[in-house]
Amino acid sequence: MELQLFMQVFESINKFQIEEWGIPPFYVIPHHMKIFERVPTQFGPVILKFLVEIDYTLPYSQSYRYNQKIGLEFVFSSLPSPKKLVGLSELGIPVFQVQAKLSEWTKRDYDEITEESLSIQLILHQKTRKNTKH
């Protein structure tokens, strides 16, 4: 239930912030977000929770750093497999793992959730970065 609810809310946002170890935080303004995107890799197809095509970033240079696309994996219980992360990285899709938490009132009252009534704190960490394509 948590994943489904979080994905519904996240799908409607128009901007989010990424914090990566060792670099200043930046904002991503998506052009398009594909939910549960099936991506073929050398290890076989994988399902990515969100494939984000970047419209622009603040600062702007970050959109080029990430090839104008990133993957998001929401972590509620288990982490994405290393094969999944490496396979996507080899395709030029850096993957950020999002530690997602919903408050108890959000879980209890999820039928009445709107973007304005939900405060989401995201900490995005990139665990595997073998992206050398630009």
Side-chain angles (χ1 to χ4, degrees), residues 43-117:
F43 304 110
V46 298
I47 303 295
L48 189 55
K49 302 293 186 297
F50 275 102
L51 178 59
V52 179
E53 295 173 11
I54 298 172
D55 187 15
Y56 64 96
T57 59
L58 299 170
Y60 194 75
S61 61
Q62 294 298 328
S63 65
Y64 295 110
R65 180 173 187 223
Y66 296 107
N67 299 318
Q68 308 244 220
K69 60 185 166 188
I70 58 173
L72 298 177
E73 284 291 317
F74 297 104
V75 179
F76 284 96
S77 55
S78 62
L79 296 172
S81 74
K83 282 185 177 181
K84 181 177 190 175
L85 297 175
V86 170
L88 290 166
S89 180
E90 288 176 350
L91 295 172
I93 304 172
V95 176
F96 289 88
Q97 298 173 30
V98 180
Q99 297 294 331
K101 286 190 159 195
L102 298 175
S103 68
E104 288 304 314
W105 69 265
T106 302
K107 292 182 220 175
R108 185 185 63 236
D109 301 329
Y110 79 97
D111 287 330
E112 299 172 19
I113 295 295
T114 66
E115 182 179 347
E116 295 79 30
S117 68

Side-chain angles (χ1 to χ4, degrees), residues 6 10 17 19 74 98-102 118-124:
F6 194 85
F10 194 82
Q17 183 177 358
E19 296 178 12
F74 297 104
V98 180
Q99 297 294 331
K101 286 190 159 195
L102 298 175
L118 180 61
S119 173
I120 300 173
Q121 289 189 336
L122 302 177
I123 300 174
L124 302 167

